[in-house]
Amino acid sequence: MPEHVAPAAALASESQEAEAGVHHRHKVALFLGAAIRDEHEHETESGFALGVEYQYRLHRFLGVGALAEGALGEFRDVLLIAPISFHPWRGLRLVVAPGAEIPNEGSTEFALRLGAGYKIPIGGRFTLIPEFNADLIEGTPTYVFGANFAVGF
């Protein structure tokens, strides 16, 4: 290969990697945010949300994992879900996650999370992922927003 072509090929390769987004096979994240539950017509409850998540990337575009999240405030619940994450473009992440909500009072209920976030690299293996989620629990929506602080390995 001529010398003047090799640097161009290397730059093209680096550009393709940047476009594709570097991903790690494993990710562990700490979530900090807020949760707002729309209880009735004009009543809402809010709380602080704290969670941990593990994700295993099956493919550049697909990841599966486990998430445990607690809400503390006007309501106290624990959410245990199995996120299926789609990574269609650069840092964009779309999530569908079935699971269960374990309320402080009452019985365990089916939960379904729909969410979106965007991965922002903050150095090496670390990322910041702002995200918004809608949890549907027995017909009552809970909106959860905040940020994941993640490390990939």
Side-chain angles (χ1 to χ4, degrees), residues 91-106:
L92 181 62
R93 174 183 178 206
L94 304 174
V95 176
V96 175
E101 181 191 56
I102 305 166
N104 192 33
E105 298 175 3

Side-chain angles (χ1 to χ4, degrees), residues 49-88:
L50 176 66
V52 294
E53 179 182 7
Y54 168 78
Q55 181 185 101
Y56 178 76
R57 292 287 281 267
L58 298 169
H59 185 271
R60 191 175 102 202
F61 300 112
L62 181 65
V64 295
L67 181 141
E69 188 175 284
L72 305 168
E74 295 175 352
F75 60 97
R76 295 176 183 270
D77 299 332
V78 172
L79 187 67
L80 301 173
I81 56 176
I84 301 167
S85 302
F86 302 95
H87 303 268

Side-chain angles (χ1 to χ4, degrees), residues 3-28:
E3 288 183 25
H4 67 280
V5 175
L11 285 175
S13 176
E14 287 175 15
S15 176
Q16 288 170 350
E17 287 178 15
E19 180 78 19
V22 175
H23 70 273
H24 295 92
R25 185 70 71 184
H26 304 273
K27 178 192 82 171
V28 175

